[in-house]
Amino acid sequence: MTMTSEIKANPQNSTLRSDDLLQVKDLVKHFPIKGGILQRTVAQVQAVSGVSFTVKKGETLGLVGESGCGKTTVGRTLLRLTPATSGSVIFGGKDIFTLNNAEMKNIRRDMQIIFQDPYSSLDPRMPIGESVGEGLLVHGERDTKKRNDIVMAMLKKVGLEDYHARRYPHEFSGGQRQRIGIARALALQPKFIVCDEPVSALDVSIQSQVLNLLKDLQREFGLTYLFIAHNLGVVEHISDRVGVMYLGKMVELTDRESVFRDPLHPYTKALLSAIPIPNPTIHRERIILQGDVPSPINPPSGCNFHPRCPWAIDKCKVEVPLLEELRPGHQVACWVAKQRVEDEKQLR
């Protein structure tokens, strides 16, 4: 895919630390809204607005938020399935937004995706063995026997049998189709996989099986995941670190234990308060957010969350908070949280 001329490369972002596999820097994606007889751009949907993070080798970074917050757009944009408006994504020491089509094809072997809806991502007219092996064919594996051997090995890795390769997508359950999607992503032996809500369309009993399968495969193949979800219970089970998004921005980013033990951003606290507790004798104070999520076409001034935040101060309405490290390894974009941490330091 040819990138738009809006992409601006930043050579200062081309160096990764030794334990970083992927670095996303100031990622922006706006979708134009056309109007009028001439179909001119009349507005922009600000789906992603300056998101930055790194993913370490062998870890799972969970990306969570309400529907429409931009998390799926982040995953698709950093893979160049959707062209970015600006920003950079460094993978293997290269900014993939500056690569030509031939260079990008080579790097796609190492960067794969598992889609949310396994059925729509499979060709209904193609046996699943051909679907799993299609990527191998595209990347130059012409030996039919070798290609079939890899396909059968991948199907076994995800809990399917050889005879399944001759069946069509409609002959499988939702959980089996998602296993097929996982096998297809693994066929090229990637280093990095974007898991775009891979269990949200599955029954709860099947979700745990697929999550455990992903963890087993990660240990066996040394995989690195960006795991996109809106279910915090799922994210807690699989993630090493967690990033929380709201209206196109990253508002909190830290390790899993810190997020679930002591979140700093009010939005993260509200999300956690909504998680059901399986013990009826334990009661959690629920934080009810007022109003609706603002439109990404015309986001609020200052902090995007301030119209719904129960602790917002005047500064939140006019100044945009930056994502800052308020505690070691704990980044937050919130004026109230920053003041709280500063007050705690003074009391020590």
Side-chain angles (χ1 to χ4, degrees):
M1 181 181 294
T2 302
M3 298 302 294
T4 66
S5 59
E6 297 176 78
I7 293 295
K8 300 175 182 178
N10 188 347
Q12 295 179 350
N13 296 328
S14 59
T15 303
L16 292 175
R17 293 179 300 184
S18 60
D19 60 341
D20 288 339
L21 180 68
L22 178 83
Q23 181 188 61
V24 178
K25 181 67 174 178
D26 296 329
L27 184 64
V28 175
K29 176 57 186 175
H30 294 168
F31 293 96
I33 299 175
K34 306 289 185 178
I37 297 176
L38 300 178
Q39 287 295 292
R40 290 174 174 157
T41 300
V42 296
Q44 298 277 353
V45 177
Q46 300 177 33
V48 179
S49 302
V51 169
S52 300
F53 59 88
T54 60
V55 186
K56 297 179 175 63
K57 295 176 183 176
E59 80 163 346
T60 299
L61 175 64
L63 201 58
V64 300
E66 293 173 292
S67 296
C69 71
K71 54 189 185 295
T72 291
T73 303
V74 168
R76 289 174 175 266
T77 304
L78 67 85
L79 292 177
R80 272 183 58 173
L81 298 179
T82 300
T85 301
S86 63
S88 64
V89 174
I90 311 300
F91 183 84
K94 300 176 181 178
D95 185 349
I96 68 169
F97 289 169
T98 65
L99 302 181
N100 59 36
N101 288 344
E103 292 170 327
M104 192 62 210
K105 181 180 177 181
N106 290 332
I107 210 166
R108 285 200 188 281
R109 294 187 68 103
D110 293 328
M111 304 178 75
Q112 291 291 303
I113 183 170
I114 301 169
F115 293 99
Q116 177 178 358
D117 183 355
Y119 188 67
S120 65
S121 66
L122 295 170
D123 188 337
R125 299 166 297 179
M126 184 182 290
I128 63 102
E130 292 184 22
S131 290
V132 173
E134 189 175 22
L136 294 166
L137 186 60
V138 169
H139 284 273
E141 184 52 73
R142 304 299 176 186
D143 188 326
T144 302
K145 183 181 184 305
K146 185 175 181 181
R147 195 167 62 245
N148 288 339
D149 288 345
I150 294 173
V151 169
M152 298 308 173
M154 291 302 103
L155 290 178
K156 286 187 177 296
K157 287 292 183 184
V158 299
L160 298 175
E161 300 297 334
D162 291 356
Y163 64 85
H164 286 132
R166 298 185 295 274
R167 294 185 177 179
Y168 290 83
H170 72 274
E171 299 180 77
F172 295 92
S173 67
Q176 287 176 317
R177 285 195 287 261
Q178 196 57 282
R179 290 172 184 268
I180 294 166
I182 295 170
R184 183 175 56 182
L186 287 175
L188 290 169
Q189 298 181 328
K191 298 176 182 177
F192 173 72
I193 300 179
V194 173
C195 305
D196 184 12
E197 302 202 36
V199 298
S200 63
L202 306 179
D203 293 337
V204 174
S205 59
I206 306 300
Q207 287 184 9
S208 60
Q209 296 177 20
V210 173
L211 289 174
N212 289 333
L213 172 63
L214 288 171
K215 293 179 73 172
D216 291 342
L217 293 171
Q218 184 177 38
R219 285 191 292 268
E220 182 174 353
F221 294 104
L223 298 171
T224 302
Y225 294 144
L226 175 65
F227 193 93
I228 298 168
H230 60 263
N231 186 330
L232 281 169
V234 169
V235 170
E236 183 179 17
H237 179 72
I238 198 171
S239 299
D240 299 300
R241 290 188 300 137
V242 179
V244 182
M245 287 188 65
Y246 182 80
L247 205 65
K249 293 180 179 291
M250 189 79 76
V251 297
E252 188 158 7
L253 178 61
T254 186
D255 62 273
R256 177 184 57 198
E257 290 76 14
S258 297
V259 163
F260 288 92
R261 184 186 69 250
D262 187 18
L264 292 176
H265 199 282
Y267 177 61
T268 310
K269 293 179 180 180
L271 290 179
L272 290 172
S273 75
I275 299 177
I277 300 176
N279 188 339
T281 63
I282 299 177
H283 299 279
R284 175 186 286 148
E285 182 180 355
R286 180 73 190 275
I287 301 174
I288 306 297
L289 298 178
Q290 302 300 317
D292 298 322
V293 179
S295 170
I297 300 174
N298 185 26
S301 60
C303 174
N304 283 346
F305 187 60
H306 87 260
R308 305 177 70 198
C309 180
W311 299 287
I313 57 178
D314 291 340
K315 188 176 184 178
C316 302
K317 301 176 183 179
V318 294
E319 294 188 38
V320 178
L322 300 177
L323 190 67
E324 299 181 73
E325 189 173 54
L326 301 186
R327 291 174 178 166
H330 196 151
Q331 300 179 61
V332 187
C334 177
W335 296 120
V336 176
K338 186 175 183 179
Q339 185 61 53
R340 170 194 160 183
V341 173
E342 289 176 351
D343 291 343
E344 289 174 351
K345 290 178 179 178
Q346 292 178 359
L347 292 175
R348 290 173 187 166

